């Protein structure tokens, strides 16, 4: 039984023979993370999940009074330090990638303003060089005519 039939409405004839798609592609809302940042994030998630599992085992061993409780608690403390380091690694990797591969340009971005100033300075320098070359050519052509006369 179709959804339209259950609601008591008639099925639309234009869509009667069109099969419904199981998977519909939607455009991404956010840009994809850079590869180094993504690998660091996956590494951090795996380490953090293993740390949580290890902490749970240490807790259960402590409740059971097992001899394994003390070594597990010690290793859980060490794993917590490593997991914290892994999360910081994601943050540092992201910052380094952003610095190396440029900042996101927004109208208020200082990087965009600096680029505009550099471009303007280059344009004026090129224009000044063209003008001085033009003046030199003109002087050479005049000097040649004057020496012949």
């Amino acid at each position: 039984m179709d959804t339209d039939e259950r609601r008591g409405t008639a099925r639309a004839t234009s869509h009667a023979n069109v099969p419904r798609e199981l998977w519909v592609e939607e455009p991404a809302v956010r840009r994809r993370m850079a590869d180094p940042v993504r690998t660091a994030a996956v590494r951090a998630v795996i380490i953090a999940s293993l740390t949580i599992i290890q902490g749970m085992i240490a807790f259960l061993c402590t409740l059971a009074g097992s001899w394994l409780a003390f070594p597990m608690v010690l290793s859980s403390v060490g794993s917590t330090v490593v997991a914290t380091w892994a999360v910081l690694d994601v943050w540092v990797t992201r910052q380094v990638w952003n610095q190396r591969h440029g900042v996101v340009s927004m109208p208020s971005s200082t990087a965009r303003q600096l680029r505009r100033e550099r471009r303007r300075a280059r344009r004026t320098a090129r224009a000044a060089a063209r003008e001085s070359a033009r003046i030199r050519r003109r002087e050479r052509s005049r000097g040649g005519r004057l020496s012949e006369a």
Side-chain angles (χ1 to χ4, degrees), residues 32-44 90 93:
R32 188 173 157 160
M33 274 192 287
D35 286 338
V37 179
R38 191 178 321 111
T39 55
V42 168
R43 190 181 323 120
V90 173
T93 305

Side-chain angles (χ1 to χ4, degrees), residues 56-142:
M56 188 57 123
I57 291 172
F59 177 71
L60 293 175
C61 285
T62 303
L63 288 181
S66 172
W67 64 271
L68 198 58
F70 184 66
M72 287 298 288
V73 168
L74 287 181
S75 63
S76 292
V77 170
S79 293
T80 304
V81 172
V82 172
T84 305
W85 188 270
V87 171
L88 283 174
D89 179 48
V90 173
W91 182 69
V92 168
T93 305
R94 183 174 170 269
Q95 296 298 325
V96 167
W97 195 91
N98 282 338
Q99 284 181 355
R100 284 185 183 161
H101 296 91
V103 297
V104 177
S105 290
M106 295 183 208
S108 62
S109 175
T110 55
R112 178 178 279 188
Q113 184 65 30
L114 289 173
R115 278 195 304 255
R116 279 185 188 147
E117 289 172 5
R118 273 188 251 131
R119 252 186 260 130
R120 199 174 298 131
R122 268 188 255 131
R123 272 190 220 121
T124 56
R126 278 193 303 249
R130 276 195 306 265
E131 187 63 31
S132 66
R134 190 178 306 136
I135 291 172
R136 270 189 252 124
R137 278 194 310 255
R138 203 178 299 154
E139 288 175 357
R140 275 192 220 135
S141 65
R142 285 182 187 165

Side-chain angles (χ1 to χ4, degrees), residues 22-42:
L22 185 62
W23 187 269
V24 178
E25 288 285 332
E26 293 181 4
V29 178
R30 293 175 51 177
R31 282 185 18 219
R32 188 173 157 160
M33 274 192 287
D35 286 338
V37 179
R38 191 178 321 111
T39 55
V42 168

